Amino acid sequence: GLLYAMKGEIESMLTEDTPLLQEKAGVSFYRIREDIIACCGGVGKVNAAMATQLFIDLYRPDLILNVGVAGCFEDLPIGTLVLPDRFMQHDMDTSAVGDPVGLISGINMIELPADTKIADELDRVCAAANVNHRLGVIASGDQFVHTTERRVWIVSTFNASAVEMEAAAIAQVCFVNKIPFAAIRVISDEASGDVKIDYMTFVKAAAATSSDIALRWLRARA
């Protein structure tokens, strides 16, 4: 299963002949190959979680790979591919009742791990394709991070490499359903004051890069 957030991201995976399997609760599911289904789940943690559970209930995939773009907290060039080994929810905060910031209620975890086998395979695919990439930590939250104050806080609290709005929610749903999960995120902006300019300019190119690596990985597994 391939899970995207936005139409601008999944479009790089679709052709005119790609069959639309169904639309359910606003989520479109496409057959990319006989053994590959992709969906466009929407932006934000609630949309991502809803689409992930729907995907699992309808198709019971062997694994889910989240593909898309992210903002960067480090000195990484736009277009760099980040392979996360951990996911956190930076806007999860029940510290007022004594919990550590980021603790996810119900599963009592702050860090959700990526599937190491998938992450290792993706790492080898990136290296073979000479794609500029690195391992890192993804912080997810229901906000488009663009201020220095918020950026500094997320980095100091979670040691995050990049930020976006879905991956940690998908990781949580996959964790409770025991579905192996990993993600590919290509840097589309610097999560700074220029985020709008960077994002609008580079998002389609970044999405195409992440989809290309996903396809290379899938061909290697075939």
Side-chain angles (χ1 to χ4, degrees), residues 71-74 86-93 101-102 110-111 137-165 168 190-192:
C72 184
F73 289 144
E74 301 181 20
R86 288 167 291 154
F87 308 90
M88 290 94 160
Q89 297 181 23
H90 68 77
D91 59 349
M92 189 70 188
D93 186 356
V101 174
I110 296 175
E111 298 182 356
V137 177
I138 292 287
S140 305
D142 283 323
Q143 59 183 197
F144 208 93
V145 175
H146 62 94
T147 66
T148 300
E149 180 182 12
R150 187 64 181 175
R151 172 181 172 142
V152 169
W153 182 84
I154 294 173
V155 172
S156 63
T157 305
F158 299 105
N159 194 30
S161 305
V163 65
E164 42 77 88
M165 301 176 67
E190 296 179 349
S192 66

Side-chain angles (χ1 to χ4, degrees), residues 35-54:
D35 57 346
I36 302 168
I37 294 173
C39 82
C40 186
V43 174
K45 293 193 325 186
V46 173
N47 283 326
M50 180 178 69
T52 305
Q53 190 62 59
L54 195 58

Side-chain angles (χ1 to χ4, degrees), residues 78-98:
I78 288 173
T80 301
L81 191 144
V82 175
L83 299 177
D85 56 3
R86 288 167 291 154
F87 308 90
M88 290 94 160
Q89 297 181 23
H90 68 77
D91 59 349
M92 189 70 188
D93 186 356
T94 53
S95 59
V97 295

Side-chain angles (χ1 to χ4, degrees), residues 7 11 27 41 64 75 94 99 104 136 146-147 165 181 184 204 208 211:
K7 289 183 178 179
E11 282 174 356
V27 181
I64 287 180
D75 187 20
T94 53
D99 294 334
I104 302 170
H146 62 94
T147 66
M165 301 176 67
F181 172 71
I184 297 172
K204 286 191 175 181
S211 286

Side-chain angles (χ1 to χ4, degrees), residues 118-213:
I118 301 173
D120 288 345
E121 290 174 352
L122 289 167
D123 186 29
R124 290 195 292 271
V125 167
C126 289
N130 291 317
V131 171
N132 186 20
H133 70 289
R134 58 150 298 169
L135 298 178
V137 177
I138 292 287
S140 305
D142 283 323
Q143 59 183 197
F144 208 93
V145 175
H146 62 94
T147 66
T148 300
E149 180 182 12
R150 187 64 181 175
R151 172 181 172 142
V152 169
W153 182 84
I154 294 173
V155 172
S156 63
T157 305
F158 299 105
N159 194 30
S161 305
V163 65
E164 42 77 88
M165 301 176 67
E166 295 87 26
I170 301 168
Q172 181 179 347
V173 176
C174 287
F175 176 81
V176 298
N177 283 277
K178 297 180 172 58
I179 301 292
F181 172 71
I184 297 172
R185 289 288 177 170
V186 174
I187 300 304
S188 61
D189 61 83
E190 296 179 349
S192 66
D194 294 327
V195 62
K196 183 176 180 180
I197 297 172
D198 290 344
Y199 181 79
M200 298 304 294
T201 302
F202 296 108
V203 63
K204 286 191 175 181
T209 298
S210 58
S211 286
D212 178 64
I213 291 301

